Coordinates of all heavy atoms in Angstrom, one line a residue:
A103 N 81.4 94.5 68.2 CA 82.0 93.5 67.3 C 82.3 92.2 68.1 O 82.2 91.1 67.6 CB 83.3 94.1 66.7
I104 N 82.7 92.4 69.4 CA 82.9 91.2 70.2 C 81.6 90.5 70.4 O 81.5 89.2 70.3 CB 83.5 91.6 71.6 CG1 85.0 92.1 71.4 CG2 83.5 90.4 72.5 CD1 85.6 92.6 72.6
V105 N 80.5 91.2 70.6 CA 79.2 90.6 70.7 C 78.8 89.8 69.5 O 78.4 88.6 69.6 CB 78.1 91.6 71.0 CG1 76.7 91.0 71.0 CG2 78.3 92.4 72.3
D106 N 79.1 90.4 68.3 CA 78.8 89.7 67.1 C 79.6 88.4 66.9 O 79.1 87.3 66.5 CB 79.1 90.6 65.9 CG 78.2 91.8 65.8 OD1 77.2 91.8 66.5 OD2 78.5 92.7 65.1
E107 N 80.9 88.4 67.3 CA 81.7 87.2 67.2 C 81.3 86.2 68.2 O 81.4 85.0 67.9 CB 83.2 87.6 67.4 CG 83.8 88.5 66.3 CD 83.8 87.7 64.9 OE1 83.7 86.5 64.9 OE2 83.9 88.4 63.9
V108 N 80.9 86.6 69.4 CA 80.5 85.6 70.4 C 79.2 84.9 69.8 O 79.1 83.6 69.9 CB 80.2 86.2 71.7 CG1 79.5 85.3 72.7 CG2 81.5 86.7 72.3
A109 N 78.3 85.6 69.2 CA 77.1 85.0 68.7 C 77.5 84.0 67.6 O 76.9 82.9 67.5 CB 76.2 86.1 68.1
R110 N 78.4 84.4 66.7 CA 78.8 83.5 65.6 C 79.5 82.2 66.1 O 79.5 81.2 65.5 CB 79.8 84.2 64.7 CG 79.2 85.3 63.8 CD 80.1 85.8 62.7 NE 79.6 87.0 62.1 CZ 80.0 88.2 62.4 NH1 81.0 88.4 63.3 NH2 79.5 89.2 61.8
S111 N 80.1 82.3 67.3 CA 80.9 81.1 67.8 C 80.0 80.0 68.3 O 80.5 78.8 68.4 CB 81.7 81.6 69.0 OG 80.9 81.8 70.2
G112 N 78.8 80.2 68.6 CA 77.9 79.2 69.1 C 77.8 79.2 70.6 O 77.1 78.4 71.2
A113 N 78.6 80.1 71.3 CA 78.5 80.2 72.7 C 77.1 80.6 73.1 O 76.4 81.4 72.4 CB 79.5 81.2 73.3
Q114 N 76.6 80.2 74.2 CA 75.2 80.5 74.6 C 75.1 81.9 75.3 O 74.1 82.5 75.3 CB 74.7 79.5 75.6 CG 74.5 78.1 75.0 CD 75.7 77.2 75.4 OE1 76.9 77.6 75.3 NE2 75.4 76.0 75.7
A115 N 76.2 82.4 75.9 CA 76.1 83.5 76.8 C 77.3 84.5 76.6 O 78.4 84.1 76.3 CB 76.0 83.1 78.3
L116 N 76.9 85.8 76.8 CA 77.9 86.8 76.9 C 77.9 87.5 78.3 O 76.8 87.7 78.8 CB 77.6 87.9 75.8 CG 78.4 89.2 75.9 CD1 79.8 89.0 75.3 CD2 77.7 90.4 75.2
K117 N 79.0 87.7 78.9 CA 79.0 88.3 80.2 C 79.9 89.6 80.2 O 80.9 89.7 79.6 CB 79.6 87.3 81.2 CG 79.4 87.8 82.7 CD 80.0 86.9 83.7 CE 81.5 87.2 83.8 NZ 81.8 88.5 84.4
L118 N 79.4 90.6 80.9 CA 80.1 91.8 81.1 C 80.5 91.9 82.6 O 80.2 91.0 83.4 CB 79.1 93.0 80.8 CG 78.4 93.0 79.5 CD1 77.5 94.2 79.3 CD2 79.4 92.9 78.3
Q119 N 81.2 93.0 82.9 CA 81.5 93.4 84.3 C 80.9 94.8 84.5 O 81.2 95.7 83.7 CB 83.0 93.3 84.6 CG 83.6 91.9 84.5 CD 85.0 91.9 84.9 OE1 85.6 92.9 85.2 NE2 85.6 90.7 84.8
T120 N 80.2 94.9 85.6 CA 79.5 96.2 85.8 C 80.0 96.9 87.1 O 79.7 96.5 88.2 CB 77.9 96.0 86.0 OG1 77.5 95.3 84.8 CG2 77.2 97.3 86.1
Y121 N 80.9 97.8 86.8 CA 81.4 98.6 87.9 C 82.0 99.9 87.3 O 82.1 100.1 86.1 CB 82.6 97.9 88.6 CG 83.8 97.6 87.7 CD1 84.8 98.6 87.5 CD2 83.9 96.4 87.1 CE1 85.9 98.3 86.7 CE2 85.0 96.1 86.3 CZ 86.0 97.1 86.1 OH 87.1 96.8 85.3
R122 N 82.2 100.9 88.1 CA 83.0 102.1 87.8 C 84.2 102.1 88.7 O 84.2 101.4 89.8 CB 82.2 103.4 88.0 CG 81.0 103.5 87.0 CD 80.4 104.9 87.2 NE 79.9 105.2 88.5 CZ 78.6 105.1 88.9 NH1 77.7 104.9 88.0 NH2 78.3 105.4 90.1
A123 N 85.2 102.8 88.4 CA 86.4 102.8 89.2 C 86.1 103.2 90.7 O 86.6 102.6 91.6 CB 87.5 103.7 88.7
D124 N 85.1 104.1 90.8 CA 84.8 104.6 92.2 C 83.8 103.7 92.9 O 83.5 104.0 94.1 CB 84.4 106.0 92.2 CG 83.2 106.3 91.3 OD1 82.6 105.3 90.8 OD2 82.8 107.5 91.2
T125 N 83.3 102.6 92.2 CA 82.4 101.7 93.0 C 83.2 100.4 93.3 O 82.7 99.6 94.1 CB 81.2 101.3 92.1 OG1 81.6 100.5 91.0 CG2 80.4 102.5 91.7
I126 N 84.4 100.3 92.9 CA 85.2 99.1 93.1 C 86.4 99.4 94.0 O 86.9 98.5 94.7 CB 85.6 98.4 91.8 CG1 86.0 96.9 92.1 CG2 86.7 99.1 91.1 CD1 86.2 96.1 90.8
T127 N 86.8 100.7 94.0 CA 88.0 101.1 94.8 C 87.8 102.6 95.1 O 86.8 103.2 94.8 CB 89.3 100.7 94.2 OG1 90.4 100.9 95.2 CG2 89.6 101.5 92.9
I128 N 88.9 103.3 95.5 CA 88.9 104.7 95.7 C 90.2 105.3 95.0 O 91.1 104.5 94.8 CB 88.8 105.1 97.2 CG1 90.0 104.5 98.0 CG2 87.5 104.8 97.8 CD1 90.0 104.9 99.4
D129 N 90.1 106.5 94.7 CA 91.2 107.2 94.0 C 92.3 107.6 95.0 O 92.4 108.7 95.4 CB 90.7 108.4 93.2 CG 91.8 108.9 92.3 OD1 92.8 108.3 92.1 OD2 91.5 110.0 91.6
V130 N 93.1 106.6 95.4 CA 94.2 106.7 96.3 C 95.4 106.0 95.8 O 95.2 104.9 95.2 CB 93.8 106.2 97.7 CG1 95.0 106.1 98.7 CG2 92.7 107.1 98.4
D131 N 96.5 106.6 96.0 CA 97.7 105.9 95.5 C 98.5 105.4 96.8 O 98.3 105.8 97.9 CB 98.6 106.8 94.7 CG 99.5 106.0 93.7 OD1 99.4 104.7 93.8 OD2 100.2 106.6 92.9
G132 N 99.5 104.5 96.5 CA 100.2 103.9 97.6 C 100.3 102.4 97.4 O 99.6 101.8 96.6
P133 N 101.2 101.7 98.1 CA 101.5 100.3 97.8 C 100.3 99.4 97.9 O 100.1 98.5 97.1 CB 102.5 100.0 98.9 CG 103.2 101.2 99.2 CD 102.2 102.3 99.1
A134 N 99.4 99.7 98.9 CA 98.2 98.9 99.0 C 97.2 99.0 97.9 O 96.5 98.1 97.6 CB 97.4 99.2 100.3
F135 N 97.3 100.1 97.2 CA 96.4 100.4 96.1 C 97.1 100.2 94.7 O 96.6 100.8 93.7 CB 95.8 101.8 96.2 CG 94.8 101.9 97.3 CD1 95.2 102.2 98.6 CD2 93.4 101.7 97.0 CE1 94.2 102.2 99.6 CE2 92.5 101.8 98.1 CZ 92.9 102.0 99.4
R136 N 98.2 99.5 94.7 CA 98.8 99.2 93.4 C 99.0 97.6 93.3 O 99.2 96.9 94.3 CB 100.2 99.8 93.4 CG 100.2 101.3 93.1 CD 101.6 101.9 93.0 NE 101.5 103.3 92.5 CZ 101.4 103.7 91.3 NH1 101.4 102.8 90.3 NH2 101.3 105.0 91.0
V137 N 98.9 97.2 92.1 CA 99.2 95.8 91.8 C 100.7 95.5 92.1 O 101.5 96.4 91.7 CB 98.8 95.4 90.3 CG1 99.1 93.9 90.1 CG2 97.4 95.7 90.1
S138 N 101.0 94.4 92.6 CA 102.4 94.1 92.9 C 103.3 94.2 91.7 O 102.9 93.8 90.6 CB 102.6 92.7 93.5 OG 101.8 92.6 94.8
D139 N 104.5 94.7 91.9 CA 105.4 95.0 90.7 C 105.7 93.7 89.9 O 105.9 93.8 88.7 CB 106.7 95.6 91.2 CG 106.5 97.0 91.7 OD1 105.5 97.7 91.3 OD2 107.4 97.5 92.5
D140 N 105.6 92.6 90.5 CA 106.0 91.3 89.8 C 104.9 90.7 89.1 O 105.0 89.6 88.5 CB 106.7 90.3 90.7 CG 105.8 89.9 91.9 OD1 104.6 90.4 92.0 OD2 106.2 89.0 92.7
H141 N 103.7 91.3 89.1 CA 102.5 90.8 88.3 C 102.8 90.8 86.8 O 103.3 91.8 86.3 CB 101.3 91.6 88.6 CG 100.0 90.9 88.2 ND1 99.6 90.8 86.9 CD2 99.1 90.1 88.9 CE1 98.5 90.2 86.8 NE2 98.2 89.7 88.0
S142 N 102.5 89.7 86.2 CA 103.0 89.5 84.8 C 102.2 90.5 83.8 O 102.7 90.8 82.7 CB 102.8 88.1 84.3 OG 101.4 87.7 84.4
L143 N 101.0 90.9 84.2 CA 100.2 91.7 83.3 C 100.1 93.2 83.8 O 100.2 94.1 83.0 CB 98.8 91.2 83.1 CG 98.7 89.8 82.3 CD1 97.2 89.5 82.1 CD2 99.4 89.9 81.0
W144 N 99.8 93.3 85.0 CA 99.4 94.7 85.5 C 100.4 95.2 86.6 O 100.0 96.0 87.4 CB 98.0 94.6 86.1 CG 97.0 94.0 85.1 CD1 96.9 94.2 83.8 CD2 96.1 92.9 85.5 NE1 95.9 93.4 83.3 CE2 95.4 92.6 84.3 CE3 95.7 92.2 86.6 CZ2 94.4 91.7 84.2 CZ3 94.7 91.3 86.6 CH2 94.1 91.0 85.4
G145 N 101.6 94.7 86.6 CA 102.6 95.0 87.6 C 102.7 96.5 87.8 O 103.0 97.3 86.9
G146 N 102.6 97.0 89.1 CA 102.8 98.4 89.4 C 101.6 99.3 89.1 O 101.7 100.5 89.5
E147 N 100.6 98.8 88.5 CA 99.4 99.7 88.1 C 98.6 100.1 89.3 O 98.3 99.3 90.2 CB 98.5 99.0 87.1 CG 99.2 98.9 85.7 CD 98.2 99.1 84.6 OE1 97.3 100.0 84.7 OE2 98.2 98.3 83.6

């Protein structure tokens, strides 16, 4: 549905992001692997 709406808008291009969780990071927890708590959208994730 997003593709359809982009086409209707007149924009020339659609862009995706191509990754899997394990190709962009590793499944480890801890402060270094968490978004800072004060982040407005993803704090603590």
Side-chain angles (χ1 to χ4, degrees):
I104 291 174
V105 175
D106 294 346
E107 292 296 342
V108 170
R110 289 191 191 100
S111 75
Q114 297 98 317
L116 172 78
K117 192 184 80 68
L118 309 179
Q119 294 184 0
T120 304
Y121 63 85
R122 295 189 300 257
D124 58 2
T125 66
I126 199 171
T127 190
I128 54 175
D129 190 5
V130 169
D131 206 358
F135 287 87
R136 285 185 173 271
V137 181
S138 298
D139 288 339
D140 60 356
H141 193 281
S142 61
L143 292 186
W144 311 311
E147 289 217 40

